[in-house]
């Protein structure tokens, strides 16, 4: 029987359902304990929009956040015998402006674009020759910009005069700022915050002023001075002072976190809350062989309480959030209300505007959808944060819910709460579901589509969550089996450190995608190019991330490539090489990237297609596209021996003609074409192109040779670079690069590594960690492989850049240079792929 659809409004559903039967004990015990400290821990992750992390060692050190660093706060409290403990997130902050930012007023400041002389941050500095300009300062397409500033590699210096009263300086004071890129700020000549050389866009950052920092301000006239540097792209600067007028939470103690362990599908925490221990497991059921669950917009939060003294204790649990979960900007009006469906009460919240698929871009959050909190095995309520927290702290209950609340700004947001009463227990277990239904998830060739799990709307979010609730035990067991498989594969290939890297990366990779089918039923799996330009289904993301999918589900690898082939087949893309992308997420209507990557993308697509055919044992997948692939292969033959000055995936490092690694890519693409031709029975074609690939490799080896290694560019002596594209020669056992070229390179790399890894090339200290693991896949011994893995493990474990793993980092400082939360770290599985292929 066809399901009756919920009204077609986009939904953000956050569902908390308690389990009526006790789960197996191993739900709360990781398959293996882990030593790796992730820079940011995955909590609730599903896709590029529904992606909530904790960038802290302790889950209570700050608010949970989207990968963009936008706050997406979920709080967790546990009340034990009348004492309340915070185990997740930070206290709700209700900020009232003392010195407003540009969203409230176009404040004026003195500005110069020329580096000032003397102590320009001091209160008595003479800025009378500076311009008077209104905030915010930055790119004209950004919010609240009233003074344009967006030149590449440019700076601005700003001095803002403020007047403070004695009352202004009382209480809990916060500095709030937004900046793009590097930024520093001073109060009356005293430095308060400095990003250093880290180039990053951050919006609405809140810095709690210490008593010493507060004392740099005084009653009367003060100067706030700021400097911001823009490297390239968008620029922005704005700042203000605020007082937190939220609930005084001195009555809430902080739970002591005992441990955190990360497996492929789950993050495990244990806390001490007085005489009770609390275990919490965040699980994304991203089963790679179950496409419904892989695409499902829901995660589990499992939890259990255990008495440590053998006595029963009265225990209640609270989960709380706000309309913040469903907005892109805090100024968006929202509505929250109570509704009833199927006899169950829900708290519902979302934006009033509901702009479905209206925004494209990189660092944005979804602003369509509704938050739902159902009353399964508990109670739900809408209320002010003080009212909700007071009721829970005092009685372990919730206040009477408000029927409907409309808000026009963040300071008015209500708290949306669910409370579960365990009663007086020694041990009790339960779980929650949290979900986000976008209704329309992606646009492909100008038609809007739902994610695969919805089956063209036949399955609602409520149906999907009901399935997940009903099958909780079996799904968790399957998740644990996948955790075991991924850990064991990594351990067999490279030991404990490699296994931990893979376990900590799996959800990161999957959550950067959207899975759906088009009108013809074609499976499509599109990445978002997070934190680089927001492109959708970028081919030079599909290439580096491929090893994970080639190992565990090659059909998903095809689902990333099919649309690129079809784009050419349709006649919309007519160039003799593959497109770079299909648009800007979430609209995949055609390439938007400003420059082509001819050898890069043609080589990527052909090489991956060849690998897929080898795994399939036939060419069925590529037969439809053979003429297109032939055109691309001929382009590689004609242009790949000595590349012109072309863009490639490592274009951020600078464009050099005669790129040796790009030439390797072309050569392996030609060899891959020959392998497919052989499988198709085109023996003459196969022999012709394989002979060409071998000849190109021989010429390459002679022209690139630099003694004990090979050059970065054919015409650049005394240079070197990673030749990660050569790994396919090893996987396919072709040995087309003569004179032990691969072994020569690997041995050399081990002499030029830094503390936190192998640089990308000789020009800079930075690296790409995905390419390191491709390069490591070329190692001939386990000892060599371990020598590449250990610095990568150290980088992830020690980086001060608390973001979902940045794949572009400095090998000396371990700091992020750029990029985060990107799917390319699927490349970490290259050694596992080698083991699979060469068994």
């Amino acid at each position: 029987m066809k399901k009756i659809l919920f009204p077609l409004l986009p939904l953000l559903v956050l569902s908390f359902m308690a389990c009526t039967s006790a789960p197996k004990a191993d739900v709360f015990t990781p398959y293996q304990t882990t030593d790796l400290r992730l820079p940011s821990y995955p909590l609730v992750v599903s896709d590029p929009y529904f992606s909530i992390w904790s960038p802290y060692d302790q889950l209570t050190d700050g608010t949970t956040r989207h990968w963009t660093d936008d706050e997406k706060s979920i709080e967790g409290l546990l009340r034990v015998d009348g004492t309340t403990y915070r185990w997740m997130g930070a206290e709700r902050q209700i900020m009232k402006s003392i010195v407003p930012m540009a969203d409230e007023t176009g404040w004026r400041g003195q500005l110069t674009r020329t580096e000032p002389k003397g102590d320009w941050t001091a209160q008595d500095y003479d800025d009378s020759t500076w311009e008077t300009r209104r905030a915010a300062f930055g790119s004209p397409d950004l919010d609240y910009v009233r003074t344009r500033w967006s030149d590449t590699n440019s700076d601005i210096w700003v001095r803002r005069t403020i007047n403070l009263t004695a009352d202004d300086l009382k209480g809990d004071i916060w500095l709030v700022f937004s900046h793009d890129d590097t930024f520093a700020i001073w109060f009356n000549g005293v430095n308060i915050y400095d990003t250093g050389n880290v180039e990053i866009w951050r919006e609405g950052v809140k810095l709690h002023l210490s008593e010493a920092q507060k004392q740099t301000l005084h009653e009367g006239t003060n100067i706030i001075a700021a400097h911001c540097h823009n490297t390239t792209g968008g620029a922005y600067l704005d700042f203000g002072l605020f007082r937190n007028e939220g609930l005084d939470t001195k009555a809430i103690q902080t739970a002591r976190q005992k441990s955190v362990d990360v497996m492929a599908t789950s993050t495990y925490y244990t806390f001490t809350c007085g005489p009770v221990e609390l275990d919490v497991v965040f699980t994304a059921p991203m089963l790679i062989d179950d496409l419904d669950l892989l695409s499902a917009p829901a995660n589990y939060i499992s939890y259990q309480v255990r008495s440590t003294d053998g006595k029963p204790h009265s225990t209640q649990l609270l989960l709380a959030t706000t309309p913040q979960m469903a907005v892109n900007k805090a100024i968006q009006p929202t509505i929250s209300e109570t509704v009833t469906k199927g006899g169950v009460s829900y708290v519902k919240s979302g934006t009033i505007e509901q702009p479905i698929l209206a925004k494209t871009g990189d660092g944005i959050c979804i602003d369509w959808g509704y938050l739902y909190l159902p009353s399964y095995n508990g109670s739900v309520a809408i209320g002010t944060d003080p009212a909700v927290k007071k009721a829970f702290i005092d009685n372990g209950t919730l206040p009477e819910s408000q029927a409907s609340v409309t808000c026009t700004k963040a300071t008015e947001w209500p708290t949306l709460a669910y409370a579960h009463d365990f009663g007086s227990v020694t041990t009790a277990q339960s779980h929650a579901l949290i979900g986000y239904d976008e209704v329309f998830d992606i646009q492909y060739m100008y038609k809007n589509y739902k994610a695969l799990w919805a089956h063209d709307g036949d399955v609602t979010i409520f149906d999907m969550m009901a399935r997940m609730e009903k099958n909780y035990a079996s799904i968790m067991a399957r998740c644990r089996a996948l955790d075991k498989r991924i850990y064991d594969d990594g351990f067999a290939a490279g030991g404990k450190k490699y296994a931990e890297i893979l376990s900590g990366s799996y959800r990161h990779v999957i959550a950067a995608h959207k899975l759906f089918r088009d009108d013809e039923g074609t499976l499509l799996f599109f990445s978002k190019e997070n934190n680089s330009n927001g492109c959708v289904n970028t081919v030079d993301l599909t290439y580096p991330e491929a090893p994970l999918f080639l190992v565990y589900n090659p059909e998903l690898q095809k689902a990333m490539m099919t649309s690129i082939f079809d784009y050419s087949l349709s006649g919309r893309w007519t160039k003799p090489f593959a497109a770079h992308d299909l648009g800007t997420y979430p609209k995949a209507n055609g390439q938007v990237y400003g420059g082509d990557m001819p050898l890069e993308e043609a080589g990527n697509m052909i090489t991956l297609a060849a690998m897929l055919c080898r795994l399939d044992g036939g060419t069925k997948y590529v037969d439809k596209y053979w003429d297109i692939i032939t055109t691309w292969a001929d382009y590689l033959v004609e242009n790949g021996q000595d590349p012109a000055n072309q863009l490639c995936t490592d274009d951020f490092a600078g464009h050099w003609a005669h790129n040796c690694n790009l030439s390797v890519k072309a050569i392996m693409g030609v060899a891959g074409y020959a392998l497919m031709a052989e499988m198709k029975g085109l023996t003459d074609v196969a022999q012709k192109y394989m002979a060409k690939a071998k000849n190109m490799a021989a010429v390459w080896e002679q022209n690139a040779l630099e003694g004990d290694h090979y050059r970065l560019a054919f015409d650049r002596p005394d240079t070197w670079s990673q030749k990660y594209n050569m790994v396919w020669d090893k996987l396919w056992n072709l040995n087309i690069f003569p004179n032990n070229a691969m072994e020569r390179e690997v041995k050399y790399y081990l002499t030029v590594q830094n503390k936190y890894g192998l640089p990308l090339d000789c020009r800079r200290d930075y690296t790409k960690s995905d390419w390191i693991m491709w390069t490591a896949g070329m190692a001939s011994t386990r000892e060599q492989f371990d020598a590449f893995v250990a610095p990568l493990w150290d980088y992830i474990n020690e980086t001060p850049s608390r973001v979902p793993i940045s794949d572009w980092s400095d090998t000396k400082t371990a700091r992020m240079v750029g990029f985060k939360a990107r799917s390319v770290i699927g490349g970490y599985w290259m050694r596992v792929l080698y083991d699979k292929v060469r068994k």
Side-chain angles (χ1 to χ4, degrees):
M1 177 174 135
K2 189 172 179 71
K3 304 284 185 182
I4 298 175
L5 299 183
F6 193 78
L8 283 180
L9 292 173
L11 308 177
L12 166 57
V13 180
L14 179 60
S15 170
F16 297 99
M17 295 189 253
C19 180
T20 55
S21 59
K24 295 180 180 179
D26 64 7
V27 166
F28 298 98
T29 304
Y31 169 62
Q32 296 287 341
T33 58
T34 56
D35 297 325
L36 180 62
R37 182 231 65 177
L38 290 179
S40 193
Y41 289 92
L43 301 180
V44 177
V45 292
S46 177
D47 68 9
Y49 287 139
F50 192 36
S51 185
I52 301 170
W53 302 69
S54 175
Y56 307 103
D57 293 340
Q58 306 292 315
L59 190 54
T60 54
D61 278 353
T63 58
T64 55
R65 313 185 82 84
H66 188 257
W67 66 259
T68 59
D69 202 41
D70 282 11
E71 288 187 8
K72 296 293 177 185
S73 176
I74 305 175
E75 293 182 74
L77 303 179
L78 189 73
R79 185 175 183 270
V80 181
D81 297 332
T83 299
T84 301
Y85 301 86
R86 179 183 304 281
W87 55 269
M88 177 167 61
E91 66 182 73
R92 169 88 181 275
Q93 297 166 348
I94 301 176
M95 295 295 196
K96 181 178 181 181
S97 61
I98 301 170
V99 178
M101 294 176 69
D103 60 334
E104 291 187 53
T105 181
W107 57 268
R108 285 178 166 81
Q110 299 300 105
L111 177 148
T112 182
R113 301 169 194 263
T114 302
E115 184 172 3
K117 297 179 181 179
D119 187 5
W120 66 274
T121 68
Q123 187 172 0
D124 59 358
Y125 181 84
D126 182 6
D127 58 20
S128 60
T129 62
W130 293 21
E131 303 174 73
T132 300
R133 296 290 184 177
R134 299 182 67 200
F137 314 96
S139 302
D141 57 331
L142 298 179
D143 291 336
Y144 317 117
V145 169
R146 298 176 178 89
T147 299
R148 181 167 183 163
W149 162 60
S150 57
D151 295 338
T152 297
N153 198 31
S154 64
D155 298 74
I156 58 170
W157 292 263
V158 175
R159 287 169 53 87
R160 182 179 184 181
T161 302
I162 62 172
N163 288 290
L164 299 175
T165 67
D167 288 341
D168 289 335
L169 295 169
K170 294 178 180 177
D172 199 18
I173 309 301
W174 294 71
L175 170 65
V176 181
F177 51 86
S178 300
H179 64 89
D180 186 5
D181 292 302
T182 60
F183 166 78
I185 192 165
W186 295 259
F187 293 170
N188 296 320
V190 178
N191 181 249
I192 302 298
Y193 181 84
D194 192 335
T195 64
N197 292 322
V198 177
E199 299 170 3
I200 190 172
W201 158 246
R202 301 180 73 195
E203 181 178 10
V205 179
K206 298 183 179 72
L207 178 66
H208 187 221
L209 298 186
S210 66
E211 284 302 316
Q213 289 171 327
K214 284 176 62 176
Q215 288 174 11
T216 65
L217 299 169
H218 52 77
E219 191 174 351
T221 301
N222 295 259
I223 294 293
I224 303 180
H227 168 234
C228 196
H229 172 77
N230 180 48
T231 53
T232 187
Y236 199 83
L237 176 63
D238 188 21
F239 51 85
L241 292 176
F242 293 77
R243 176 182 294 105
N244 178 21
E245 297 190 344
L247 177 70
D248 183 352
T249 55
K250 293 185 177 64
I252 300 177
Q253 298 186 26
T254 300
R256 182 172 68 87
Q257 183 175 305
K258 293 185 64 179
S259 63
V260 55
D261 300 282
V262 180
M263 291 284 100
T265 65
S266 297
T267 302
Y268 296 78
Y269 287 94
T270 295
F271 306 92
T272 297
C273 303
V276 165
E277 286 193 347
L278 170 68
D279 302 309
V280 182
V281 184
F282 297 90
T283 301
M286 293 173 165
L287 299 174
I288 204 153
D289 60 350
D290 186 328
L291 299 185
D292 277 350
L293 287 174
L294 189 73
S295 64
N299 282 202
Y300 293 113
I301 302 176
S302 304
Y303 47 90
Q304 74 170 352
V305 291
R306 296 176 286 109
S307 170
T308 57
D309 60 8
K311 300 176 182 179
H313 296 279
S314 176
T315 310
Q316 298 83 34
L317 183 131
L318 177 75
L319 292 163
T321 187
T322 73
Q324 183 184 51
M325 294 289 288
V327 301
N328 182 48
K329 299 290 184 181
I331 60 168
Q332 291 181 280
T334 62
I335 184 168
S336 305
E337 58 186 335
T338 56
V339 298
T340 301
K341 182 176 176 64
V344 178
S345 296
Y346 296 81
V347 167
K348 171 184 175 183
S349 184
T351 62
I352 293 174
E353 182 185 6
Q354 291 296 308
I356 300 173
L357 294 173
K359 293 180 176 65
T360 62
D362 189 357
I364 61 175
C365 298
I366 197 167
D367 57 4
W368 61 92
Y370 292 97
L371 185 73
Y372 280 83
L373 298 177
S375 58
Y376 292 101
N377 299 300
S379 57
V380 294
I382 302 173
T384 65
D385 192 65
V388 169
K389 300 290 176 53
K390 187 176 188 304
F392 185 78
I393 292 169
D394 290 349
N395 306 306
T397 60
L398 296 177
E400 182 178 351
S401 181
Q402 299 180 44
S404 180
V405 178
T406 300
C407 303
T408 59
K409 55 186 177 180
T411 55
E412 299 172 349
W413 285 341
T415 290
L416 316 171
Y418 165 88
H420 175 77
D421 188 355
F422 285 105
S424 184
V425 295
T426 53
T427 301
Q429 303 162 334
S430 188
H431 71 267
L433 279 169
I434 177 170
Y436 196 119
D437 182 0
E438 299 166 24
V439 176
F440 288 113
D441 297 63
I442 199 158
Q443 185 178 103
Y444 176 50
M445 296 306 162
Y446 302 98
K447 180 166 183 180
N448 295 344
Y449 289 95
K450 278 293 302 171
L452 182 140
W453 66 267
H455 296 280
D456 295 325
D458 287 349
V459 178
T460 69
I461 184 70
F462 303 105
D463 298 329
M464 191 65 198
M465 294 174 76
R467 172 195 166 188
M468 292 179 64
E469 170 64 15
K470 179 180 179 181
N471 299 316
Y472 169 75
S474 63
I475 291 172
M476 290 296 288
R478 292 168 65 195
C479 287
R480 186 176 180 83
L482 181 58
D483 292 347
K484 180 180 185 300
R485 182 182 179 189
I486 288 176
Y487 187 94
D488 286 353
D489 284 350
F491 191 86
K496 178 178 171 63
K497 288 187 175 181
Y498 186 44
E500 291 185 352
I501 290 171
L502 299 188
S503 296
S505 302
Y506 179 79
R507 279 172 287 167
H508 172 131
V509 177
I510 302 295
H513 296 83
K514 178 62 64 177
L515 183 67
F516 67 106
R517 292 188 188 274
D518 67 11
D519 283 343
E520 297 179 358
T522 303
L523 187 67
L524 299 169
F525 191 47
F526 287 177
S527 64
K528 178 180 179 180
E529 196 170 345
N530 290 341
N531 198 229
S532 44
N533 67 3
C535 278
V536 59
N537 205 35
T538 303
V539 174
D540 54 297
L541 266 66
T542 296
Y543 182 68
E545 69 176 302
L548 185 154
F549 301 101
L550 293 170
V551 170
Y552 297 116
N553 192 342
E555 294 305 309
L556 291 173
Q557 186 63 45
K558 295 174 186 176
M560 288 185 265
M561 297 168 61
T562 298
S563 59
I564 299 295
F565 283 129
D566 285 340
Y567 190 28
S568 286
L569 192 65
S570 72
R572 293 191 61 202
W573 182 261
T574 60
K575 297 179 182 181
F577 45 81
H580 169 271
D581 63 83
L582 285 181
T584 304
Y585 197 90
K587 294 184 178 181
N589 299 321
Q591 177 169 313
V592 296
Y593 193 65
D596 294 328
M597 296 186 181
L599 292 172
E600 176 74 37
E601 310 304 19
N604 291 344
M605 290 292 290
I606 295 176
T607 301
L608 293 175
M611 187 71 249
L612 286 167
C613 290
R614 287 174 67 90
L615 293 173
D616 287 348
T619 62
K620 181 180 178 181
Y621 174 62
V622 301
D623 286 345
K624 178 180 179 181
Y625 309 113
W626 190 247
D627 289 346
I628 293 168
I629 292 173
T630 300
T631 298
W632 295 351
D634 287 340
Y635 184 90
L636 297 179
V637 169
E638 294 168 10
N639 299 277
Q641 182 71 76
D642 186 7
N645 192 358
Q646 289 194 6
L647 287 174
C648 68
T649 189
D650 302 323
D651 57 353
F652 55 83
H655 309 149
W656 277 14
H658 319 295
N659 185 318
C660 294
N661 188 45
L662 190 58
S663 180
V664 174
K665 186 187 294 280
I667 294 167
M668 293 314 304
V670 174
Y673 178 79
L675 292 175
M676 291 187 285
E678 182 69 30
M679 296 178 75
K680 284 177 68 65
L682 303 176
T683 304
D684 290 346
V685 174
Q687 291 175 349
K688 173 185 174 182
Y689 282 85
M690 187 58 74
K692 183 62 180 177
K694 290 181 177 179
N695 180 67
M696 292 173 73
V699 172
W700 183 96
E701 197 273 338
Q702 183 178 12
N703 293 343
L705 184 60
E706 180 84 12
D708 59 353
H709 67 279
Y710 296 90
R711 294 176 176 178
L712 164 60
F714 293 118
D715 63 336
R716 303 281 185 134
D718 301 319
T719 62
W720 65 269
S721 67
Q722 291 189 45
K723 311 301 189 303
Y724 51 81
N725 289 305
M726 202 178 286
V727 72
W728 299 107
D729 197 20
K730 184 180 182 71
L731 262 69
W732 296 341
N733 199 28
L734 296 178
N735 300 312
I736 64 174
F737 284 89
N739 299 324
N740 296 315
M742 189 180 305
E743 180 67 18
R744 188 195 306 263
E745 278 291 90
V746 169
K747 287 181 178 179
Y748 181 77
Y749 295 152
L750 294 176
T751 69
V752 292
Q753 283 204 114
N754 290 323
K755 180 178 180 181
Y756 296 110
L758 176 67
L760 184 65
D761 59 46
C762 59
R763 291 174 290 181
R764 305 281 180 82
D765 291 327
Y766 60 57
T767 193
K768 292 284 277 81
S769 60
D770 48 331
W771 297 142
I772 286 179
M773 295 311 298
W774 278 51
T775 296
M778 294 157 50
S780 59
T781 68
R782 171 66 185 274
E783 182 181 8
Q784 285 181 336
F785 180 74
D786 290 350
F788 288 110
V789 170
L792 175 60
W793 191 95
D794 289 342
Y795 155 63
I796 297 171
N797 190 60
E798 298 175 19
T799 176
S801 302
R802 304 308 298 265
V803 300
I805 298 173
S806 169
D807 55 282
W808 183 15
S809 60
D810 190 291
T811 59
K812 289 184 176 179
T813 67
R815 290 187 178 275
M816 166 186 173
V817 176
F819 306 158
K820 58 183 175 180
R822 301 202 319 157
S823 63
V824 298
I825 66 171
Y828 291 174
W829 272 261
M830 181 56 84
R831 190 69 175 194
V832 179
L833 176 62
Y834 172 79
D835 288 348
K836 174 181 178 177
V837 171
R838 297 298 299 273
K839 279 184 179 179

